[in-house]
Amino acid sequence: MLTRLFNDPEVERLRQAGNRLVCDSGRTLLLPDKLGFCNGVQRALKSVAEALSKAKPGRVWIVGEIIHNPTVNRCLQEAGARIVREEERESFWDCADCAKDRVVIPAFGIERGLELAIRRRFAPELIVDTTCGYVKRSWRLVEQAAADGYTVAVHGDPRHPEIRSTVSRVGGGRSAVVHLRTPQMARDFVRVLVDGAWRDWPADGIVNPGQLNRERLALISQTTLLEDDIREVAEILSEAMVQAGGRLLNASASCLATRERQAAALRLCRRGCDLSLVVGGYGSSNTRQLYRIARSYGAAFFIGDARNLDSSRITHFIPETGELRTTSDWLPPSTRRLGILAGASCPASDVGDVIRKLGRM
């Protein structure tokens, strides 16, 4: 069951053919030179598979989704894993056998307090930590920045598990934490740095405002954001701190897999696609960024998997509104070059299913 997630014969066939396939309809399907599972996701899933092989069904607990992809999480559940829901995170051990059951920390990491609670209850050999190395790097940086008295500016979605786990490492109320979701919020924050005006700032936009240090600012970004946005936020804050006579510690960077997949998507889109399909979980940040890239170059649809499309209609996700929309006549005869993009959390099996369905249209 899990093996199919990693490799798919249709994807391999396109790879060997130079990432292009001419269908019987005359339409050409194109793949970027990088797509799908990154090394970190592969390591995480293999670690979970190993844990499942050593435990009875239902005795492996994953603290939230291992990654943001429904196919992957469904396969893990079918293989015997139990995914802990949000409301169970602080109590799931009451239903577990802490002397025998295994606990998996997902790739995004978990909040520091929750991790400590788990480590108090379960023996080290029962804990499978799949936290991405890039996320742990962010933790170390914010811990040190807070210890040195910096205000920590966090660029990303405050609700995303990676951001939640990272912010929890500031700890103890020692520093202010400012949430910057977008480059525009970074521009707005510049005014706060200058005159301390919080009038229009969102209530959940800052933690410990009394600890705001206008002379020392550390910047960290969610590792799966659009590279252009990360660069823009850093430039905005760097210029502001120079003008204010302060110092910016820029520890902001996307992970390597995110950069590689965005660069590959750009190369493919610049070659010219009449239409692009972006495949992956709707909650996946890195997949959302690929959709932004594809949409900026032409028509694009964000789908979960092959079940979302047929020859007459497509059901696709709109990230800006969070809605699913169904569009008819989505694949006109004039579409000759169709690109397929997939984020670092998308299994090869989902990409292969899309290729097979398109090939029959």
Side-chain angles (χ1 to χ4, degrees):
M1 178 70 73
L2 295 180
T3 305
R4 184 171 179 265
L5 298 174
F6 294 90
N7 297 290
D8 184 275
E10 204 65 41
V11 175
E12 291 306 311
R13 186 157 75 99
L14 259 75
R15 288 280 188 234
Q16 294 172 10
N19 293 319
R20 64 193 306 273
L21 172 68
V22 179
C23 303
D24 292 341
S25 63
R27 186 179 299 116
T28 301
L29 306 183
L30 301 168
L31 295 181
D33 48 62
K34 286 281 186 181
L35 89 166
F37 282 171
C38 65
N39 291 335
V41 168
Q42 292 189 44
R43 284 193 298 270
L45 294 180
K46 288 175 181 177
S47 295
V48 178
E50 183 180 358
L52 287 166
S53 71
K54 297 177 180 178
K56 294 180 180 179
R59 309 324 301 181
V60 174
W61 303 76
I62 304 176
V63 190
E65 295 184 341
I66 187 75
I67 54 175
H68 285 150
N69 186 274
T71 299
V72 170
N73 290 300
R74 184 172 59 251
C75 284
L76 292 176
Q77 289 176 309
E78 291 171 354
R82 300 175 68 162
I83 297 180
V84 178
R85 298 192 300 269
E86 181 71 24
E87 63 271 20
E88 301 171 328
R89 284 157 54 92
E90 302 289 344
S91 62
F92 76 92
W93 45 74
D94 293 338
C95 302
D97 184 341
C98 296
K100 296 180 180 179
D101 290 2
R102 286 168 169 77
V103 179
V104 179
I105 297 174
F108 315 108
I110 56 178
E111 295 91 326
R112 184 175 183 274
L114 178 57
E115 181 176 346
L116 291 175
I118 289 171
R119 294 192 183 279
R120 283 196 299 268
R121 289 168 171 81
F122 294 85
E125 64 270 16
L126 298 177
I127 299 172
V128 182
D129 187 354
T130 72
T131 307
C132 172
Y134 284 95
V135 174
K136 288 190 173 182
R137 170 187 175 273
S138 296
W139 293 355
R140 292 191 295 271
L141 291 168
V142 299
E143 286 172 345
Q144 187 59 55
D148 292 340
Y150 281 79
T151 288
V152 179
V154 184
H155 174 208
D157 182 352
R159 300 163 298 179
H160 193 281
E162 178 189 331
I163 294 298
R164 289 167 54 184
S165 72
T166 299
V167 170
S168 75
R169 265 67 191 180
V170 174
R174 294 172 295 177
S175 296
V177 177
V178 180
H179 288 287
L180 306 175
R181 296 181 182 87
T182 63
Q184 182 56 52
M185 284 192 73
R187 295 187 191 92
D188 294 340
F189 181 60
V190 169
R191 291 195 290 274
V192 173
L193 287 173
V194 173
D195 60 16
W198 297 101
R199 290 182 297 273
D200 300 320
W201 198 257
D204 62 348
I206 186 167
V207 180
N208 302 324
Q211 300 294 325
L212 180 67
N213 186 340
R214 293 185 176 84
E215 296 180 355
R216 286 187 167 195
L217 183 67
L219 173 63
I220 195 77
S221 282
Q222 189 174 325
T223 58
T224 53
L225 297 182
L226 193 67
E227 189 68 16
D228 286 349
D229 284 356
I230 290 175
R231 189 179 302 110
E232 184 176 359
V233 168
E235 290 173 353
I236 291 168
L237 296 185
S238 178
E239 182 178 343
M241 291 305 289
V242 168
Q243 293 177 353
R247 179 186 177 192
L248 176 68
L249 174 63
N250 182 15
S252 184
S254 60
C255 73
L256 177 61
T258 292
R259 294 195 298 273
E260 288 179 339
R261 280 148 186 75
Q262 289 180 11
L266 279 167
R267 287 192 292 271
L268 179 62
C269 291
R270 286 169 177 165
R271 281 165 50 194
C273 295
D274 299 317
L275 185 149
S276 296
L277 291 179
V278 181
V279 188
Y282 301 145
S284 167
S285 172
N286 72 84
T287 308
R288 288 181 178 220
Q289 310 314 321
L290 296 181
Y291 172 69
R292 289 178 62 190
I293 290 171
R295 190 184 55 183
S296 69
Y297 281 86
F301 295 104
F302 186 171
I303 63 172
D305 55 45
R307 293 173 297 180
N308 292 126
L309 58 86
D310 59 37
S311 57
S312 61
R313 65 183 62 191
I314 187 169
T315 300
H316 53 106
F317 182 64
I318 311 296
E320 294 81 5
T321 62
E323 67 175 312
L324 279 175
R325 185 179 299 169
T326 298
T327 299
S328 301
D329 302 323
W330 67 279
L331 190 60
S334 59
T335 302
R336 310 312 298 166
R337 292 168 57 85
L338 201 159
I340 303 172
L341 307 177
S345 55
C346 184
S349 57
D350 279 359
V351 178
D353 288 343
V354 169
I355 293 170
R356 280 182 282 274
K357 182 164 276 192
L358 291 171
R360 295 193 296 267
M361 290 181 186

PDB file of all heavy atoms in Angstrom, residues 314-327:
ATOM      1  N   ILE A 314     -14.188  19.851 -14.208  1.00  0.00           N
ATOM      2  CA  ILE A 314     -13.101  19.727 -13.247  1.00  0.00           C
ATOM      3  C   ILE A 314     -13.529  20.403 -11.948  1.00  0.00           C
ATOM      4  O   ILE A 314     -14.128  21.481 -11.961  1.00  0.00           O
ATOM      5  CB  ILE A 314     -11.794  20.358 -13.803  1.00  0.00           C
ATOM      6  CG1 ILE A 314     -10.616  20.084 -12.867  1.00  0.00           C
ATOM      7  CG2 ILE A 314     -11.953  21.861 -14.039  1.00  0.00           C
ATOM      8  CD1 ILE A 314      -9.265  20.460 -13.496  1.00  0.00           C
ATOM      9  N   THR A 315     -13.259  19.760 -10.823  1.00  0.00           N
ATOM     10  CA  THR A 315     -13.502  20.354  -9.515  1.00  0.00           C
ATOM     11  C   THR A 315     -12.160  20.787  -8.954  1.00  0.00           C
ATOM     12  O   THR A 315     -11.261  19.958  -8.784  1.00  0.00           O
ATOM     13  CB  THR A 315     -14.185  19.349  -8.565  1.00  0.00           C
ATOM     14  OG1 THR A 315     -15.434  18.942  -9.136  1.00  0.00           O
ATOM     15  CG2 THR A 315     -14.443  19.978  -7.207  1.00  0.00           C
ATOM     16  N   HIS A 316     -12.027  22.071  -8.687  1.00  0.00           N
ATOM     17  CA  HIS A 316     -10.715  22.612  -8.334  1.00  0.00           C
ATOM     18  C   HIS A 316     -10.825  23.541  -7.133  1.00  0.00           C
ATOM     19  O   HIS A 316     -11.894  24.079  -6.817  1.00  0.00           O
ATOM     20  CB  HIS A 316     -10.093  23.335  -9.532  1.00  0.00           C
ATOM     21  CG  HIS A 316     -10.974  24.387 -10.145  1.00  0.00           C
ATOM     22  ND1 HIS A 316     -10.749  25.731  -9.976  1.00  0.00           N
ATOM     23  CD2 HIS A 316     -12.084  24.283 -10.919  1.00  0.00           C
ATOM     24  CE1 HIS A 316     -11.676  26.411 -10.622  1.00  0.00           C
ATOM     25  NE2 HIS A 316     -12.498  25.570 -11.205  1.00  0.00           N
ATOM     26  N   PHE A 317      -9.693  23.736  -6.500  1.00  0.00           N
ATOM     27  CA  PHE A 317      -9.626  24.500  -5.255  1.00  0.00           C
ATOM     28  C   PHE A 317      -9.181  25.927  -5.532  1.00  0.00           C
ATOM     29  O   PHE A 317      -8.276  26.160  -6.345  1.00  0.00           O
ATOM     30  CB  PHE A 317      -8.636  23.816  -4.304  1.00  0.00           C
ATOM     31  CG  PHE A 317      -8.494  24.478  -2.960  1.00  0.00           C
ATOM     32  CD1 PHE A 317      -9.555  24.539  -2.076  1.00  0.00           C
ATOM     33  CD2 PHE A 317      -7.277  25.036  -2.568  1.00  0.00           C
ATOM     34  CE1 PHE A 317      -9.429  25.123  -0.826  1.00  0.00           C
ATOM     35  CE2 PHE A 317      -7.135  25.635  -1.326  1.00  0.00           C
ATOM     36  CZ  PHE A 317      -8.211  25.682  -0.454  1.00  0.00           C
ATOM     37  N   ILE A 318      -9.806  26.881  -4.826  1.00  0.00           N
ATOM     38  CA  ILE A 318      -9.437  28.296  -4.934  1.00  0.00           C
ATOM     39  C   ILE A 318      -8.795  28.697  -3.603  1.00  0.00           C
ATOM     40  O   ILE A 318      -9.505  28.936  -2.616  1.00  0.00           O
ATOM     41  CB  ILE A 318     -10.664  29.189  -5.213  1.00  0.00           C
ATOM     42  CG1 ILE A 318     -11.503  28.623  -6.369  1.00  0.00           C
ATOM     43  CG2 ILE A 318     -10.226  30.622  -5.486  1.00  0.00           C
ATOM     44  CD1 ILE A 318     -10.787  28.597  -7.691  1.00  0.00           C
ATOM     45  N   PRO A 319      -7.466  28.776  -3.514  1.00  0.00           N
ATOM     46  CA  PRO A 319      -6.807  29.055  -2.224  1.00  0.00           C
ATOM     47  C   PRO A 319      -7.226  30.378  -1.591  1.00  0.00           C
ATOM     48  O   PRO A 319      -7.311  30.484  -0.365  1.00  0.00           O
ATOM     49  CB  PRO A 319      -5.317  29.067  -2.591  1.00  0.00           C
ATOM     50  CG  PRO A 319      -5.217  28.239  -3.820  1.00  0.00           C
ATOM     51  CD  PRO A 319      -6.489  28.495  -4.569  1.00  0.00           C
ATOM     52  N   GLU A 320      -7.503  31.395  -2.404  1.00  0.00           N
ATOM     53  CA  GLU A 320      -7.828  32.715  -1.867  1.00  0.00           C
ATOM     54  C   GLU A 320      -9.117  32.701  -1.043  1.00  0.00           C
ATOM     55  O   GLU A 320      -9.254  33.449  -0.073  1.00  0.00           O
ATOM     56  CB  GLU A 320      -7.949  33.742  -2.999  1.00  0.00           C
ATOM     57  CG  GLU A 320      -6.646  34.012  -3.736  1.00  0.00           C
ATOM     58  CD  GLU A 320      -6.344  32.960  -4.781  1.00  0.00           C
ATOM     59  OE1 GLU A 320      -7.182  32.055  -5.010  1.00  0.00           O
ATOM     60  OE2 GLU A 320      -5.256  33.036  -5.379  1.00  0.00           O
ATOM     61  N   THR A 321     -10.068  31.866  -1.437  1.00  0.00           N
ATOM     62  CA  THR A 321     -11.363  31.836  -0.759  1.00  0.00           C
ATOM     63  C   THR A 321     -11.594  30.541   0.009  1.00  0.00           C
ATOM     64  O   THR A 321     -12.527  30.452   0.809  1.00  0.00           O
ATOM     65  CB  THR A 321     -12.498  32.007  -1.777  1.00  0.00           C
ATOM     66  OG1 THR A 321     -12.470  30.913  -2.710  1.00  0.00           O
ATOM     67  CG2 THR A 321     -12.346  33.322  -2.537  1.00  0.00           C
ATOM     68  N   GLY A 322     -10.763  29.535  -0.254  1.00  0.00           N
ATOM     69  CA  GLY A 322     -10.937  28.254   0.410  1.00  0.00           C
ATOM     70  C   GLY A 322     -12.098  27.443  -0.122  1.00  0.00           C
ATOM     71  O   GLY A 322     -12.543  26.487   0.525  1.00  0.00           O
ATOM     72  N   GLU A 323     -12.588  27.773  -1.304  1.00  0.00           N
ATOM     73  CA  GLU A 323     -13.757  27.074  -1.844  1.00  0.00           C
ATOM     74  C   GLU A 323     -13.355  26.081  -2.925  1.00  0.00           C
ATOM     75  O   GLU A 323     -12.328  26.214  -3.588  1.00  0.00           O
ATOM     76  CB  GLU A 323     -14.752  28.069  -2.428  1.00  0.00           C
ATOM     77  CG  GLU A 323     -14.232  28.782  -3.676  1.00  0.00           C
ATOM     78  CD  GLU A 323     -15.267  29.676  -4.338  1.00  0.00           C
ATOM     79  OE1 GLU A 323     -16.407  29.203  -4.549  1.00  0.00           O
ATOM     80  OE2 GLU A 323     -14.933  30.831  -4.645  1.00  0.00           O
ATOM     81  N   LEU A 324     -14.195  25.048  -3.073  1.00  0.00           N
ATOM     82  CA  LEU A 324     -14.093  24.128  -4.199  1.00  0.00           C
ATOM     83  C   LEU A 324     -15.077  24.576  -5.270  1.00  0.00           C
ATOM     84  O   LEU A 324     -16.247  24.844  -4.973  1.00  0.00           O
ATOM     85  CB  LEU A 324     -14.417  22.698  -3.765  1.00  0.00           C
ATOM     86  CG  LEU A 324     -13.298  21.907  -3.087  1.00  0.00           C
ATOM     87  CD1 LEU A 324     -13.824  20.560  -2.621  1.00  0.00           C
ATOM     88  CD2 LEU A 324     -12.116  21.710  -4.025  1.00  0.00           C
ATOM     89  N   ARG A 325     -14.597  24.640  -6.499  1.00  0.00           N
ATOM     90  CA  ARG A 325     -15.438  25.119  -7.596  1.00  0.00           C
ATOM     91  C   ARG A 325     -15.432  24.091  -8.720  1.00  0.00           C
ATOM     92  O   ARG A 325     -14.391  23.485  -8.997  1.00  0.00           O
ATOM     93  CB  ARG A 325     -14.901  26.460  -8.089  1.00  0.00           C
ATOM     94  CG  ARG A 325     -15.742  27.137  -9.160  1.00  0.00           C
ATOM     95  CD  ARG A 325     -15.132  28.462  -9.552  1.00  0.00           C
ATOM     96  NE  ARG A 325     -15.067  29.387  -8.417  1.00  0.00           N
ATOM     97  CZ  ARG A 325     -14.387  30.536  -8.432  1.00  0.00           C
ATOM     98  NH1 ARG A 325     -13.693  30.887  -9.508  1.00  0.00           N
ATOM     99  NH2 ARG A 325     -14.383  31.315  -7.361  1.00  0.00           N
ATOM    100  N   THR A 326     -16.564  23.907  -9.359  1.00  0.00           N
ATOM    101  CA  THR A 326     -16.652  22.997 -10.506  1.00  0.00           C
ATOM    102  C   THR A 326     -16.794  23.809 -11.780  1.00  0.00           C
ATOM    103  O   THR A 326     -17.658  24.681 -11.876  1.00  0.00           O
ATOM    104  CB  THR A 326     -17.841  22.035 -10.362  1.00  0.00           C
ATOM    105  OG1 THR A 326     -17.655  21.235  -9.189  1.00  0.00           O
ATOM    106  CG2 THR A 326     -17.938  21.118 -11.568  1.00  0.00           C
ATOM    107  N   THR A 327     -15.910  23.541 -12.738  1.00  0.00           N
ATOM    108  CA  THR A 327     -15.897  24.263 -14.005  1.00  0.00           C
ATOM    109  C   THR A 327     -16.138  23.279 -15.142  1.00  0.00           C
ATOM    110  O   THR A 327     -15.478  22.233 -15.223  1.00  0.00           O
ATOM    111  CB  THR A 327     -14.543  24.966 -14.215  1.00  0.00           C
ATOM    112  OG1 THR A 327     -14.336  25.913 -13.154  1.00  0.00           O
ATOM    113  CG2 THR A 327     -14.496  25.684 -15.552  1.00  0.00           C
TER     114      THR A 327
END
